[in-house]
Amino acid sequence: MADMTELILIRHGETDWNRELRFQGHVDVPLNATGHEQARRLAERLAAERLAVDHLVCSDLVRTQQTAAPSLQVLFPQLRIETLTDSSLREQSFGIVDGMRVDDIKAGHADAWNQWLRFEADSGMPGGETTRQFHARVMDAVRRIAQQHAGRKVMVVTHGGVLDMIWRTARGTGLAGPRQSDIPNAGLNRVRIDGDVVEVLDWADVRHLADLPAQPVYDQTKLLVR
């Protein structure tokens, strides 16, 4: 038990591009007003519950840093967010369609879009990462963080795709097929890491966001080519 690491996983708060259902990927998109309020609510909950966290790490993209900043003030006010970033926690790279809306991808890159809809492990957008490459990057980072902080509790602020890779690993669902888990902006997700074993303790807890506007949902199951 001493070597088990608990990760508190947070998807970044809402951005305007979430509202537009754009492929954000590696583009540095800031939070919108709702996203900043979600981040504030998250920090408020951490403070109220006196959640014991030993370390915080986040993706180096601005939307995750802005989400993490209020919680950092609660948990580790002496630290600066710029010193706690890890580029391996970035969202999947979508190559030539990074930053594009679905309708624009359909119009300008129809073949790539149709291939994407198959949700195959070894395919990805042109110039971007395949799901398998993305999964390997994510899980290498997760296991490295778990080893560096063995037996401790680490808050990780990252992206929806990253959380999907962790959820799939924990559930053993494989890399093919559409996303099956709910991954709300600024929700609380908890997993336990023990070597190569990932166990979900809690997922998609949004009680701290209950009275905020409904979140935009990118539902891959409705896009699947059968």
Side-chain angles (χ1 to χ4, degrees), residues 171-182:
R171 297 301 196 199
T173 60
L175 301 181
R179 183 180 299 179
Q180 299 292 331
S181 60
D182 292 330

Side-chain angles (χ1 to χ4, degrees), residues 114 134 214:
N114 291 331
F134 177 47

Side-chain angles (χ1 to χ4, degrees), residues 11-12 17-18 21-29 61 63 89-102 104-105 108-109 111-113 115-117 119-121 123-135 137-138 159-165 168 177 179 183 218 220 223:
R11 182 188 177 194
H12 63 80
W17 283 18
N18 285 140
L21 297 181
R22 288 181 185 259
F23 279 58
Q24 295 183 100
H26 286 192
V27 182
D28 224 3
V29 186
L61 296 179
R63 56 192 182 272
L89 294 171
R90 282 187 178 194
E91 180 61 277
Q92 184 174 1
S93 169
F94 299 113
I96 62 172
V97 308
D98 256 0
M100 295 182 66
R101 291 174 296 191
V102 169
D104 296 331
I105 299 171
H109 304 281
D111 289 344
W113 179 248
Q115 178 63 34
W116 172 258
L117 294 184
F119 296 110
E120 296 172 344
S123 65
M125 291 295 187
E129 294 172 292
T130 67
T131 301
R132 195 178 306 279
Q133 290 169 335
F134 177 47
H135 177 263
R137 166 165 69 81
V138 167
H159 305 265
V162 172
L163 269 65
D164 181 37
M165 295 297 101
R168 287 173 187 258
R179 183 180 299 179
I183 307 177
Y218 169 55
Q220 293 182 342
L223 300 174

Side-chain angles (χ1 to χ4, degrees), residues 123-172:
S123 65
M125 291 295 187
E129 294 172 292
T130 67
T131 301
R132 195 178 306 279
Q133 290 169 335
F134 177 47
H135 177 263
R137 166 165 69 81
V138 167
M139 295 314 299
D140 283 349
V142 165
R143 292 188 173 107
R144 170 171 47 79
I145 291 167
Q147 289 170 0
Q148 289 173 344
H149 303 281
R152 305 173 79 188
K153 186 178 294 185
V154 182
M155 182 173 172
V156 179
V157 186
T158 183
H159 305 265
V162 172
L163 269 65
D164 181 37
M165 295 297 101
I166 297 170
W167 190 91
R168 287 173 187 258
T169 301
R171 297 301 196 199

Side-chain angles (χ1 to χ4, degrees), residues 163-219:
L163 269 65
D164 181 37
M165 295 297 101
I166 297 170
W167 190 91
R168 287 173 187 258
T169 301
R171 297 301 196 199
T173 60
L175 301 181
R179 183 180 299 179
Q180 299 292 331
S181 60
D182 292 330
I183 307 177
N185 292 105
L188 274 169
N189 312 276
R190 295 169 50 237
V191 301
R192 181 183 293 137
I193 312 290
D194 185 9
D196 289 333
V197 177
V198 182
E199 177 189 2
V200 173
L201 303 176
D202 192 19
W203 199 262
D205 181 349
V206 290
R207 286 175 290 169
H208 51 295
L209 309 175
D211 59 340
L212 292 179
Q215 296 195 7
V217 177
Y218 169 55
D219 188 349

